[in-house]
Amino acid sequence: DAGVTQSPTHLIKTRGQQVTLRCSPKSGHDTVSWYQQALGQGPQFIFQYYEEEERQRGNFPDRFSGHQFPNYSSELNVNALLLGDSALYLCASSLGGGGNEQYFGPGTRLTVT
Amino acid sequence: KQEVTQIPAALSVPEGENLVLNCSFTDSAIYNLQWFRQDPGKGLTSLLLIQSSQREQTSGRLNASLDKSSGRSTLYIAASQPGDSATYLCAVIGAGNMLTFGGGTRLMVKP
């Protein structure tokens, strides 16, 4: 049973550039959530996708956008990168809503120089 | 706005000790609470999920309790081992199925 997968593993970008991160959920899951984790801190919720629509959004600017595909995989896009966007980006999948257990992928380490 | 706090922020213990990690949250209207383990630079591994109607969950040497009314949870680790060294994160799930995390407790178990 494949777990949550993310690509790429590491990424280095320059300020002002744009980046796309990808996530495939655990088999059977239909909901994907994205989190940003700065060094030494707990993860912060960015947004959640269900049925190809953004269902919830945390306190992140519009530079952060996403998409969910019919096969439930998801992309996170960040435009006009800032140094402060450097972080570990985590994807989590779950089944439906209602507080079900969330399973995390290995993350993508983004460094903005 | 839900806020989650974990105490202590760091903990160093000798191998074999039993230990308790603490988690508190400000809004008791939660669906459930989840404990995770994170190794350096890695993703999160789910350890235990406690439904809001439950008081505790056990998995091997781990036992997590939940007191929703007081906004507290504890993670008890029995007979700690060097392999338990990691950061432990507590997160609550509220409306909208989003996780709100604490800052974590960095655990070091010395041989």
Side-chain angles (χ1 to χ4, degrees), chain B residues 21 33-35 47-51 54-67 72-77:
Chain B
L21 308 182
L33 184 144
Q34 206 166 345
W35 281 94
L47 297 173
L48 289 163
L49 173 78
I50 310 177
Q51 305 279 0
Q54 297 175 318
R55 299 283 297 188
E56 64 179 291
Q57 278 286 341
T58 298
S59 176
R61 294 183 293 110
L62 305 180
N63 176 275
S65 67
L66 173 63
D67 185 342
R72 295 181 186 277
S73 176
T74 61
L75 178 66
Y76 176 83
I77 303 177

Side-chain angles (χ1 to χ4, degrees), chain A residues 20-91:
Chain A
T20 297
L21 310 182
R22 295 175 176 84
C23 171
S24 291
K26 181 178 170 65
S27 177
H29 285 183
D30 57 7
T31 302
V32 173
S33 303
W34 287 92
Y35 295 82
Q36 179 195 66
Q37 186 178 26
L39 201 60
Q41 299 183 21
Q44 299 289 318
F45 175 74
I46 302 174
F47 44 53
Q48 182 181 90
Y49 277 84
Y50 173 70
E51 292 187 341
E52 301 181 52
E53 292 200 359
E54 184 181 289
R55 183 163 65 174
Q56 292 284 330
R57 188 177 184 93
N59 188 26
F60 279 80
D62 291 345
R63 297 187 298 109
F64 289 77
S65 63
H67 187 77
Q68 186 178 35
F69 299 93
N71 66 353
Y72 306 120
S73 67
S74 177
E75 288 182 349
L76 164 65
N77 301 293
V78 187
N79 294 321
L81 285 167
L82 305 174
L83 294 179
D85 294 332
S86 295
L88 181 67
Y89 288 84
L90 296 162
C91 167

Side-chain angles (χ1 to χ4, degrees), chain B:
Chain B
K1 178 189 170 187
Q2 179 73 269
E3 292 184 2
V4 180
T5 303
Q6 292 187 243
I7 294 173
L11 185 62
S12 181
V13 300
E15 182 177 5
E17 273 204 7
N18 302 322
L19 54 100
V20 175
L21 308 182
N22 297 291
C23 172
S24 62
F25 48 95
T26 56
D27 185 352
S28 62
I30 64 171
Y31 285 118
N32 57 42
L33 184 144
Q34 206 166 345
W35 281 94
F36 295 91
R37 169 187 171 134
Q38 185 174 33
D39 293 293
K42 305 295 185 182
L44 277 61
T45 300
S46 180
L47 297 173
L48 289 163
L49 173 78
I50 310 177
Q51 305 279 0
S52 61
S53 58
Q54 297 175 318
R55 299 283 297 188
E56 64 179 291
Q57 278 286 341
T58 298
S59 176
R61 294 183 293 110
L62 305 180
N63 176 275
S65 67
L66 173 63
D67 185 342
K68 207 173 83 159
S69 61
S70 68
R72 295 181 186 277
S73 176
T74 61
L75 178 66
Y76 176 83
I77 303 177
S80 58
Q81 303 171 359
D84 295 330
S85 298
T87 295
Y88 290 81
L89 291 156
C90 158
V92 296
I93 300 180
N97 203 34
M98 55 174 280
L99 286 165
T100 301
F101 284 87
T105 294
R106 293 187 308 281
L107 173 66
M108 173 70 70
V109 180
K110 297 174 289 185

